[in-house]
Amino acid sequence: MPHPAEIARSLTAGRLPGVAQVPFHASPYRVRHATDHEGRPLLLCREGGQLDSALRPRDGEGDDTAVVLAVGESRGARVWVSGWASALEGIEARAAALEFAAVNPVSDLLDVDRGYRLYRMDVAEVRLECPTGHLTEIDVEDYAAAEPAASVA
């Protein structure tokens, strides 16, 4: 039986649809996502789009934005990853696009920094809900160290 951290990493890997919730914004945003080698979610959005605008830091509030990424199977487990998202640019964005493409190869990654933007989340909290509704808090270090299963589709 897989460890809860492995299940959480598998769900956030980028093979399932995700939803981002940003404070001060009423609606959650559908988002294409993947994780980097450290388990940090990478969020792909159109520059100037609703999610990009929501993730931009508010005036005087630093260079990152609080966000919750929710990913789950229709009748299975669901994971919530909370943290702070920062926009990536230049070489850092290109390297993240390569990591993203290794799991979720979408054509818009070719336009990162030219119409599309990647955000990386620094993970602060991970919670896993099993199909029975039981909620488990996952240690962030355990989550980061876990290997995602290749079979989650």
Side-chain angles (χ1 to χ4, degrees), residues 5 28 31 44 132 134 138-139 141 144 147:
V31 63
L44 177 65
T132 62
H134 178 74
I138 311 263
D139 181 80
E141 290 179 11
E147 287 293 324

Side-chain angles (χ1 to χ4, degrees), residues 114-151:
R114 295 182 311 226
Y116 283 84
R117 188 179 329 271
L118 274 173
Y119 286 84
R120 180 171 41 225
M121 285 179 63
D122 290 322
V123 178
E125 183 176 77
V126 180
R127 291 186 177 171
L128 178 69
E129 180 183 3
C130 70
T132 62
H134 178 74
L135 195 62
T136 302
E137 189 153 339
I138 311 263
D139 181 80
V140 173
E141 290 179 11
D142 290 345
Y143 165 82
E147 287 293 324
S151 63

Side-chain angles (χ1 to χ4, degrees), residues 21-25 43 51-58 61-68 83-87 119-122:
Q21 181 67 53
V22 183
F24 308 108
H25 296 270
L43 311 176
L51 179 57
D52 182 42
S53 296
L55 289 172
R56 289 290 183 189
R58 297 174 67 170
E61 293 190 9
D63 58 355
D64 58 11
T65 302
V67 64
V68 176
W84 291 269
S86 300
Y119 286 84
R120 180 171 41 225
M121 285 179 63
D122 290 322

Side-chain angles (χ1 to χ4, degrees), residues 83-98:
W84 291 269
S86 300
L88 301 176
E89 296 177 356
I91 293 171
E92 195 174 31
R94 296 279 179 213
L98 291 173

Side-chain angles (χ1 to χ4, degrees), residues 17-90:
V19 176
Q21 181 67 53
V22 183
F24 308 108
H25 296 270
S27 298
Y29 302 96
R30 289 179 47 177
V31 63
R32 290 177 290 177
H33 63 95
T35 52
D36 67 10
H37 64 282
E38 295 179 31
R40 297 174 296 187
L42 301 168
L43 311 176
L44 177 65
C45 59
R46 182 181 300 277
E47 286 181 7
Q50 289 182 333
L51 179 57
D52 182 42
S53 296
L55 289 172
R56 289 290 183 189
R58 297 174 67 170
D59 291 335
E61 293 190 9
D63 58 355
D64 58 11
T65 302
V67 64
V68 176
L69 174 66
V71 182
E73 300 169 309
S74 60
R75 292 187 210 155
R78 179 170 304 278
V79 66
W80 287 273
V81 179
S82 304
W84 291 269
S86 300
L88 301 176
E89 296 177 356

